[in-house]
Amino acid sequence: DTAVSQTPKYLVTQMGNDKSIKCEQNLGHDTMYWYKQDSKKFLKIMFSYNNKELIINETVPNRFSPKSPDKAHLNLHINSLELGDSAVYFCASSQGPFENTEAFFGQGTRLTVV
Amino acid sequence: GDSVTQMEGPVTLSEEAFLTINCTYTATGYPSLFWYVQYPGEGLQLLLKATKADDKGSNKGFEATYRKETTSFHLEKGSVQVSDSAVYFCALRGYQKVTFGTGTKLQVIP
């Protein structure tokens, strides 16, 4: 069983389109995250949710909107896609937001905007 | 805020050579420390972890010790293999988020 699963794994789309990436965790965790990995492999947090409430929003353009319908899901919707949005997006989850809770990562979604 | 600094790569080693990838951190509170590995075209895999000072994490021949006095968590392996070629990330688990270093690409040649 995959602990943190993301769909799709690959996404190729044209500029200006709107797309969504889905994330589900079956670990019973309360906290979920979205990270962006750029072309230089740098990983940066975008959003964090705890018990479906947004707790971190790291200077992300408002074209990016996370949605957490329940604690097991955190989806990422992106409007008006731009070339610079091309990256690998990782979802993660942890038992809670605290330092002693390990974060488990999904396999990533490679988004390519053409 | 929290930050992680790791040595820049790429690092190229011959098979069976000794590996060290340096990692230092700045944090408030009592973070946990991790090393993640990313093989080409794949996601992030947890390699090892340490949750408090003086803990040693180990896995697959890799080791790292949480040194609070030097704020370091250096990754070591005594004898690398070609299959160890990947990007290695040092990471700090602070309150509400994981902060990553910039990654170090390791290439092991036969």
XYZ file of all heavy atoms in Angstrom, chain A residues 9-87:
647
model
N 1.257 11.305 -12.157
C 2.702 11.293 -11.978
C 3.374 12.255 -12.962
O 4.386 12.876 -12.645
C 3.255 9.891 -12.181
C 4.734 9.770 -11.815
C 5.198 8.333 -11.850
C 6.678 8.240 -11.438
N 7.166 6.841 -11.465
N 2.819 12.351 -14.144
C 3.311 13.276 -15.160
C 2.130 14.100 -15.669
O 1.029 13.580 -15.837
C 3.953 12.541 -16.342
C 5.120 11.678 -15.970
C 4.968 10.321 -15.738
C 6.386 12.224 -15.840
C 6.041 9.525 -15.389
C 7.473 11.436 -15.492
C 7.287 10.085 -15.273
O 8.356 9.314 -14.930
N 2.402 15.377 -15.942
C 1.353 16.269 -16.431
C 1.992 17.247 -17.403
O 2.878 18.014 -17.007
C 0.700 17.003 -15.266
C -0.444 17.959 -15.548
C -1.560 17.267 -16.300
C -0.981 18.527 -14.238
N 1.577 17.188 -18.661
C 2.056 18.117 -19.676
C 0.863 18.929 -20.134
O -0.176 18.373 -20.491
C 2.687 17.381 -20.872
C 3.193 18.392 -21.896
C 3.816 16.474 -20.412
N 0.994 20.250 -20.117
C -0.135 21.104 -20.442
C 0.346 22.402 -21.056
O 1.527 22.751 -20.968
C -0.962 21.386 -19.171
O -2.167 22.073 -19.520
C -0.169 22.219 -18.182
N -0.561 23.117 -21.675
C -0.203 24.373 -22.331
C -0.339 25.547 -21.381
O -1.112 25.508 -20.405
C -1.094 24.582 -23.552
C -0.829 23.596 -24.676
C -1.612 23.927 -25.924
O -2.740 24.408 -25.843
N -1.024 23.669 -27.082
N 0.403 26.576 -21.679
C 0.298 27.825 -20.921
C -1.138 28.312 -20.907
O -1.852 28.189 -21.897
C 1.164 28.910 -21.575
C 2.638 28.791 -21.327
S 3.576 30.029 -22.249
C 2.771 31.525 -21.727
N -1.520 28.843 -19.758
C -2.857 29.410 -19.641
C -3.908 28.430 -19.153
O -4.992 28.854 -18.722
N -3.604 27.146 -19.204
C -4.563 26.147 -18.724
C -4.640 26.134 -17.203
O -3.763 26.644 -16.509
C -4.173 24.754 -19.232
C -4.515 24.556 -20.697
O -5.202 25.385 -21.300
N -4.031 23.473 -21.273
N -5.708 25.496 -16.710
C -5.881 25.255 -15.282
C -5.768 23.748 -15.054
O -6.372 22.962 -15.785
C -7.263 25.721 -14.808
C -7.525 27.184 -15.085
O -6.555 27.942 -15.262
O -8.715 27.567 -15.122
N -5.004 23.369 -14.037
C -4.825 21.943 -13.754
C -4.824 21.695 -12.254
O -4.556 22.603 -11.459
C -3.508 21.435 -14.342
C -3.481 21.376 -15.860
C -4.445 20.329 -16.383
C -4.431 20.290 -17.907
N -5.457 19.348 -18.438
N -5.096 20.439 -11.905
C -5.064 20.033 -10.496
C -4.185 18.814 -10.309
O -4.102 17.951 -11.190
C -6.479 19.697 -10.004
O -7.278 20.847 -9.935
N -3.540 18.757 -9.156
C -2.774 17.587 -8.731
C -3.408 17.096 -7.434
O -3.677 17.901 -6.529
C -1.298 17.926 -8.474
C -0.673 18.589 -9.696
C -0.522 16.657 -8.119
C 0.725 19.144 -9.442
N -3.638 15.787 -7.368
C -4.297 15.240 -6.183
C -3.299 14.507 -5.302
O -2.353 13.903 -5.778
C -5.428 14.304 -6.608
C -6.542 15.012 -7.361
C -7.697 14.095 -7.634
C -8.836 14.865 -8.295
N -10.017 14.009 -8.542
N -3.553 14.552 -4.009
C -2.707 13.852 -3.050
C -3.577 13.199 -1.993
O -4.502 13.840 -1.452
C -1.729 14.816 -2.391
S -0.676 14.028 -1.145
N -3.257 11.961 -1.696
C -3.986 11.221 -0.672
C -2.999 10.479 0.205
O -2.021 9.911 -0.285
C -4.934 10.215 -1.325
C -5.687 9.339 -0.339
C -6.591 8.325 -1.012
O -6.559 8.214 -2.250
O -7.344 7.640 -0.292
N -3.245 10.473 1.507
C -2.408 9.683 2.420
C -3.294 8.748 3.233
O -4.379 9.129 3.664
C -1.549 10.589 3.309
C -2.298 11.654 4.098
C -2.679 11.267 5.502
O -2.338 10.175 5.980
N -3.395 12.159 6.171
N -2.795 7.526 3.418
C -3.561 6.517 4.167
C -2.898 6.192 5.499
O -3.034 5.084 6.024
C -3.744 5.265 3.316
C -2.424 4.595 2.955
O -1.357 5.010 3.412
N -2.487 3.567 2.137
N -2.159 7.164 6.032
C -1.413 6.967 7.276
C -2.152 7.492 8.490
O -1.646 7.378 9.606
C -0.049 7.670 7.153
C 0.849 7.115 6.044
C 2.011 8.061 5.787
C 1.347 5.733 6.407
N -3.290 8.105 8.274
C -4.023 8.688 9.392
C -3.382 9.954 9.943
O -3.637 10.335 11.081
N -2.565 10.593 9.146
C -1.872 11.805 9.594
C -2.784 13.023 9.597
O -3.756 13.097 8.845
C -0.664 12.068 8.683
C 0.455 11.109 8.901
N 1.521 11.019 8.043
C 0.684 10.212 9.889
C 2.366 10.108 8.488
N 1.873 9.593 9.601
N -2.401 13.997 10.441
C -3.189 15.224 10.548
C -2.633 16.365 9.704
O -3.346 17.342 9.453
C -3.208 15.696 12.012
C -3.994 14.761 12.906
O -4.918 14.101 12.408
O -3.677 14.690 14.113
N -1.369 16.258 9.309
C -0.701 17.380 8.654
C -0.237 16.973 7.262
O 0.332 15.891 7.082
C 0.516 17.838 9.487
O 0.103 18.031 10.847
C 1.082 19.143 8.961
N -0.483 17.852 6.288
C -0.076 17.588 4.913
C 0.591 18.816 4.321
O 0.354 19.947 4.762
C -1.278 17.154 4.064
C -1.889 15.820 4.532
S -3.185 15.194 3.459
C -2.225 14.653 2.026
N 1.415 18.573 3.297
C 2.263 19.631 2.741
C 2.331 19.515 1.215
O 2.190 18.437 0.656
C 3.701 19.495 3.256
C 3.867 19.240 4.730
C 3.707 17.957 5.263
C 4.206 20.264 5.598
C 3.874 17.713 6.610
C 4.384 20.027 6.958
C 4.218 18.752 7.449
O 4.388 18.511 8.791
N 2.619 20.639 0.590
C 3.050 20.659 -0.796
C 4.415 21.325 -0.887
O 4.632 22.401 -0.311
C 2.076 21.430 -1.695
C 0.893 20.609 -2.117
C -0.393 20.742 -1.709
C 0.912 19.528 -3.057
N -1.179 19.801 -2.310
C -0.414 19.045 -3.141
C 1.901 18.919 -3.821
C -0.759 17.973 -3.965
C 1.545 17.856 -4.632
C 0.234 17.406 -4.700
N 5.320 20.655 -1.627
C 6.657 21.183 -1.885
C 6.845 21.289 -3.390
O 6.317 20.491 -4.158
C 7.736 20.251 -1.327
C 7.976 20.409 0.147
C 7.121 19.842 1.068
C 9.052 21.148 0.612
C 7.331 20.005 2.431
C 9.281 21.313 1.971
C 8.417 20.739 2.864
O 8.624 20.918 4.204
N 7.687 22.251 -3.791
C 8.039 22.418 -5.189
C 9.535 22.185 -5.352
O 10.331 22.746 -4.594
C 7.680 23.826 -5.681
C 8.046 24.100 -7.139
C 7.656 25.512 -7.545
C 8.008 25.792 -8.994
N 7.643 27.187 -9.411
N 9.903 21.346 -6.327
C 11.316 21.128 -6.633
C 11.610 21.724 -8.003
O 11.045 21.277 -9.010
C 11.677 19.649 -6.617
C 13.165 19.400 -6.817
C 13.541 17.943 -6.691
O 12.869 17.066 -7.219
N 14.637 17.673 -5.986
N 12.500 22.698 -8.041
C 12.776 23.370 -9.301
C 13.815 22.608 -10.113
O 14.255 21.519 -9.729
C 13.201 24.823 -9.055
C 14.490 24.927 -8.253
O 15.288 23.957 -8.231
O 14.706 25.991 -7.654
N 14.197 23.193 -11.223
C 15.093 22.499 -12.159
C 16.480 22.265 -11.568
O 17.225 21.406 -12.044
C 15.212 23.291 -13.458
O 15.698 24.588 -13.193
N 16.829 23.019 -10.534
C 18.119 22.828 -9.867
C 18.006 21.895 -8.670
O 18.922 21.795 -7.859
C 18.695 24.178 -9.435
C 19.026 25.081 -10.612
C 19.673 26.374 -10.164
C 20.037 27.230 -11.369
N 20.649 28.519 -10.980
N 16.865 21.240 -8.551
C 16.610 20.255 -7.498
C 16.320 20.889 -6.140
O 16.221 20.170 -5.147
C 17.781 19.262 -7.343
C 18.080 18.462 -8.593
C 16.978 17.478 -8.872
C 17.365 16.535 -9.992
N 16.274 15.600 -10.319
N 16.206 22.202 -6.093
C 15.944 22.843 -4.806
C 14.502 22.616 -4.392
O 13.573 22.837 -5.170
C 16.245 24.335 -4.891
C 16.136 25.043 -3.583
C 16.992 24.731 -2.539
C 15.164 26.004 -3.372
C 16.894 25.367 -1.317
C 15.053 26.653 -2.154
C 15.921 26.329 -1.125
N 14.311 22.173 -3.133
C 12.983 21.865 -2.598
C 12.543 22.979 -1.669
O 13.225 23.300 -0.691
C 13.032 20.557 -1.808
C 13.010 19.295 -2.635
C 13.756 18.181 -1.930
C 11.572 18.862 -2.909
N 11.350 23.494 -1.928
C 10.853 24.591 -1.112
C 9.392 24.325 -0.753
O 8.593 23.941 -1.607
C 10.967 25.910 -1.863
C 10.551 27.121 -1.041
C 10.849 28.401 -1.783
C 10.230 29.606 -1.084
N 10.674 29.748 0.317
N 9.054 24.572 0.501
C 7.675 24.369 0.920
C 6.772 25.428 0.305
O 7.164 26.593 0.146
C 7.549 24.366 2.453
C 6.145 23.904 2.861
C 7.897 25.732 3.043
C 6.020 23.530 4.317
N 5.579 24.991 -0.072
C 4.584 25.917 -0.601
C 3.469 26.114 0.425
O 3.135 27.240 0.782
C 3.985 25.363 -1.896
C 4.994 25.118 -2.996
S 4.239 24.264 -4.386
C 3.131 25.529 -5.020
N 2.874 25.009 0.860
C 1.738 25.068 1.781
C 1.846 23.953 2.809
O 2.431 22.903 2.557
C 0.413 24.865 1.021
C 0.144 25.853 -0.067
C 0.324 25.509 -1.393
C -0.310 27.128 0.247
C 0.068 26.418 -2.393
C -0.567 28.042 -0.756
C -0.365 27.694 -2.077
N 1.210 24.223 3.956
C 1.064 23.188 4.960
C -0.328 23.299 5.564
O -0.806 24.418 5.843
C 2.133 23.336 6.042
O 1.909 22.407 7.081
N -0.977 22.165 5.753
C -2.296 22.104 6.371
C -2.230 21.212 7.599
O -1.600 20.155 7.564
C -3.319 21.505 5.404
C -4.007 22.497 4.512
C -3.316 23.120 3.482
C -5.348 22.813 4.697
C -3.946 24.041 2.662
C -5.990 23.720 3.879
C -5.283 24.340 2.859
O -5.913 25.240 2.045
N -2.903 21.630 8.651
C -3.042 20.801 9.829
C -4.524 20.695 10.174
O -5.188 21.710 10.367
C -2.256 21.384 11.013
C -2.233 20.439 12.189
O -1.869 19.275 12.047
N -2.616 20.930 13.349
N -5.020 19.467 10.229
C -6.453 19.263 10.476
C -7.307 20.107 9.545
O -8.260 20.770 9.978
C -6.807 19.563 11.931
C -6.336 18.464 12.868
O -6.430 17.282 12.554
N -5.801 18.871 14.001
N -6.946 20.102 8.283
C -7.658 20.795 7.206
C -7.548 22.319 7.263
O -8.177 23.004 6.459
C -9.147 20.413 7.208
C -9.405 18.958 6.930
C -10.871 18.526 7.049
C -11.874 19.571 6.768
N -13.269 19.102 6.899
N -6.750 22.843 8.181
C -6.569 24.285 8.276
C -5.196 24.682 7.732
O -4.189 24.056 8.069
C -6.696 24.749 9.729
C -8.056 24.478 10.358
C -9.158 25.290 9.710
O -8.903 26.458 9.336
O -10.281 24.760 9.570
N -5.159 25.739 6.940
C -3.904 26.218 6.375
C -3.034 26.800 7.471
O -3.466 27.697 8.208
C -4.201 27.275 5.314
C -2.993 27.880 4.588
C -2.300 26.830 3.728
C -3.429 29.067 3.738
N -1.776 26.309 7.599
C -0.883 26.850 8.611
C 0.368 27.470 8.005
O 1.042 28.249 8.663
C -0.483 25.785 9.664
C 0.161 24.551 9.024
C -1.678 25.394 10.501
C 0.705 23.554 10.044
N 0.702 27.130 6.784
C 1.829 27.759 6.102
C 1.419 28.078 4.671
O 0.865 27.237 3.970
C 3.077 26.850 6.079
C 3.715 26.760 7.448
C 4.102 27.360 5.064
C 4.974 25.927 7.486
N 1.719 29.302 4.242
C 1.547 29.718 2.860
C 2.772 30.548 2.527
O 2.876 31.699 2.936
C 0.260 30.522 2.705
C 0.022 30.944 1.258
O 0.911 30.882 0.421
N -1.179 31.380 0.966
N 3.717 29.934 1.831
C 5.034 30.545 1.663
C 5.137 31.334 0.363
O 5.639 30.850 -0.637
C 6.120 29.469 1.688
C 6.349 28.850 3.027
C 7.346 29.627 3.866
O 8.290 30.198 3.296
O 7.162 29.662 5.094
N 4.683 32.539 0.373
C 4.882 33.468 -0.752
C 4.647 32.794 -2.104
O 5.497 32.841 -3.000
C 6.318 34.041 -0.708
O 6.706 34.298 0.628
C 6.374 35.335 -1.500
N 3.551 32.127 -2.198
C 3.198 31.436 -3.436
C 2.189 32.295 -4.202
O 1.273 32.844 -3.581
C 2.599 30.059 -3.112
C 2.180 29.343 -4.371
C 3.597 29.216 -2.330
N 2.337 32.439 -5.536
C 1.350 33.218 -6.295
C -0.068 32.714 -6.045
O -0.296 31.501 -5.867
C 1.756 32.978 -7.752
C 3.190 32.619 -7.700
C 3.394 31.895 -6.405
N -1.031 33.634 -6.035
C -2.389 33.189 -5.722
C -3.034 32.403 -6.853
O -4.216 32.009 -6.751
C -3.263 34.375 -5.295
C -3.308 35.453 -6.352
O -2.952 35.222 -7.504
N -3.726 36.646 -5.959
N -2.296 32.144 -7.920
C -2.772 31.193 -8.945
C -2.762 29.762 -8.383
O -3.413 28.882 -8.946
C -1.877 31.240 -10.188
C -1.876 32.583 -10.907
C -1.028 32.542 -12.160
N 0.383 32.316 -11.874
C 1.000 31.157 -12.028
N 0.339 30.105 -12.491
N 2.288 31.034 -11.749
N -2.004 29.561 -7.308
C -1.926 28.253 -6.674
C -2.906 28.233 -5.509
O -2.821 29.085 -4.617
C -0.516 27.990 -6.143
C 0.502 27.765 -7.213
C 1.044 28.829 -7.911
C 0.927 26.490 -7.527
C 1.987 28.637 -8.905
C 1.875 26.273 -8.518
C 2.410 27.346 -9.201
N -3.820 27.274 -5.528
C -4.783 27.197 -4.438
C -4.885 25.761 -3.945
O -5.326 24.865 -4.691
C -6.158 27.719 -4.872
O -6.599 27.048 -6.028
N -4.448 25.518 -2.718
C -4.603 24.190 -2.134
C -6.011 24.021 -1.600
O -6.656 24.997 -1.197
C -3.589 24.207 -0.996
C -3.518 25.649 -0.582
C -3.798 26.471 -1.796
N -6.460 22.768 -1.599
C -7.774 22.471 -1.023
C -7.685 21.149 -0.280
O -7.208 20.158 -0.815
C -8.841 22.410 -2.120
C -9.245 23.765 -2.673
C -10.394 23.684 -3.636
C -10.903 25.063 -4.020
N -9.854 25.968 -4.509
N -8.184 21.171 0.938
C -8.151 19.978 1.771
C -9.581 19.580 2.124
O -10.125 20.067 3.122
C -7.333 20.232 3.037
O -7.259 19.073 3.827
N -10.183 18.695 1.343
C -11.578 18.310 1.628
C -11.717 17.496 2.908
O -12.773 17.512 3.544
C -11.968 17.481 0.402
C -10.675 17.008 -0.173
C -9.654 18.056 0.142
N -10.677 16.786 3.273
C -10.633 16.043 4.541
C -9.172 15.839 4.899
O -8.281 16.189 4.119
C -11.389 14.709 4.443
C -10.895 13.840 3.302
O -9.684 13.526 3.282
O -11.698 13.493 2.415
N -8.927 15.261 6.068
C -7.535 15.187 6.536
C -6.668 14.276 5.684
O -5.447 14.374 5.724
C -7.513 14.702 7.989
C -7.999 15.736 8.977
C -7.569 15.434 10.403
C -8.091 14.116 10.908
N -7.735 13.885 12.325
N -7.262 13.390 4.919
C -6.494 12.448 4.125
C -6.134 12.973 2.738
O -5.373 12.332 2.022
C -7.270 11.134 3.977
N -6.668 14.122 2.372
C -6.461 14.643 1.021
C -6.017 16.104 1.051
O -6.535 16.901 1.835
C -7.757 14.552 0.191
C -8.215 13.147 -0.044
N -8.976 12.447 0.875
C -7.988 12.299 -1.086
C -9.222 11.243 0.396
N -8.631 11.119 -0.794
N -5.055 16.400 0.181
C -4.663 17.789 -0.026
C -4.369 17.952 -1.512
O -3.360 17.462 -2.013
C -3.434 18.173 0.807
C -2.965 19.625 0.635
C -4.060 20.597 1.096
C -1.681 19.877 1.413
N -5.262 18.636 -2.201
C -5.132 18.818 -3.638
C -4.544 20.193 -3.936
O -4.685 21.130 -3.147
C -6.494 18.660 -4.308
C -7.118 17.301 -3.986
O -6.421 16.291 -3.911
N -8.431 17.276 -3.789
N -3.895 20.288 -5.079
C -3.282 21.552 -5.490
C -3.850 21.947 -6.839
O -3.692 21.210 -7.826
C -1.763 21.402 -5.578
C -0.968 22.664 -5.919
C -1.118 23.709 -4.815
C 0.500 22.324 -6.144
N -4.517 23.086 -6.883
C -5.079 23.576 -8.125
C -4.259 24.763 -8.601
O -3.918 25.645 -7.797
C -6.536 24.003 -7.919
C -7.231 24.310 -9.206
N -7.648 23.351 -10.099
C -7.550 25.503 -9.765
C -8.199 23.927 -11.152
N -8.157 25.229 -10.978
N -3.946 24.769 -9.885
C -3.126 25.845 -10.444
C -3.873 26.478 -11.615
O -4.231 25.794 -12.580
C -1.755 25.341 -10.934
C -1.124 24.395 -9.906
C -0.831 26.532 -11.196
C 0.108 23.672 -10.412
N -4.120 27.775 -11.507
C -4.794 28.512 -12.587
C -3.785 29.184 -13.499
O -2.671 29.519 -13.091
C -5.688 29.611 -11.993
C -6.899 29.053 -11.290
O -7.433 28.012 -11.676
N -7.333 29.722 -10.243
N -4.194 29.383 -14.732
C -3.404 30.172 -15.694
C -1.931 29.776 -15.671
O -1.044 30.601 -15.396
C -3.552 31.663 -15.378
O -4.893 32.045 -15.404
N -1.667 28.546 -15.969
C -0.319 28.011 -15.872
C 0.687 28.793 -16.705
O 0.401 29.238 -17.818
C -0.308 26.545 -16.279
C -0.741 25.610 -15.156
C -1.323 24.319 -15.692
C 0.438 25.337 -14.234
N 1.875 28.961 -16.136
C 2.970 29.680 -16.787
C 4.158 28.736 -16.964
O 4.271 27.720 -16.267
C 3.396 30.874 -15.933
C 2.279 31.871 -15.680
C 2.712 33.005 -14.772
O 3.860 32.988 -14.280
O 1.888 33.922 -14.554
N 5.056 29.103 -17.880
C 6.230 28.265 -18.140
C 7.024 28.009 -16.864
O 7.530 26.913 -16.635
C 7.129 28.914 -19.192
C 6.582 29.020 -20.607
C 7.575 29.757 -21.506
C 6.270 27.639 -21.183
N 7.115 29.033 -16.022
C 7.896 28.927 -14.788
C 7.289 27.996 -13.754
O 7.926 27.696 -12.741
N 6.082 27.531 -13.999
C 5.467 26.578 -13.070
C 5.975 25.158 -13.312
O 5.704 24.258 -12.507
C 3.944 26.596 -13.220
C 3.344 27.942 -12.877
O 3.930 28.657 -12.033
O 2.291 28.296 -13.462
N 6.694 24.957 -14.392
C 7.255 23.635 -14.677
C 8.198 23.238 -13.544
O 9.148 23.965 -13.229
C 8.009 23.644 -16.004
O 7.122 23.900 -17.081
N 7.934 22.104 -12.952
C 8.687 21.652 -11.785
C 8.154 20.280 -11.383
O 7.199 19.771 -11.973
C 8.516 22.633 -10.619
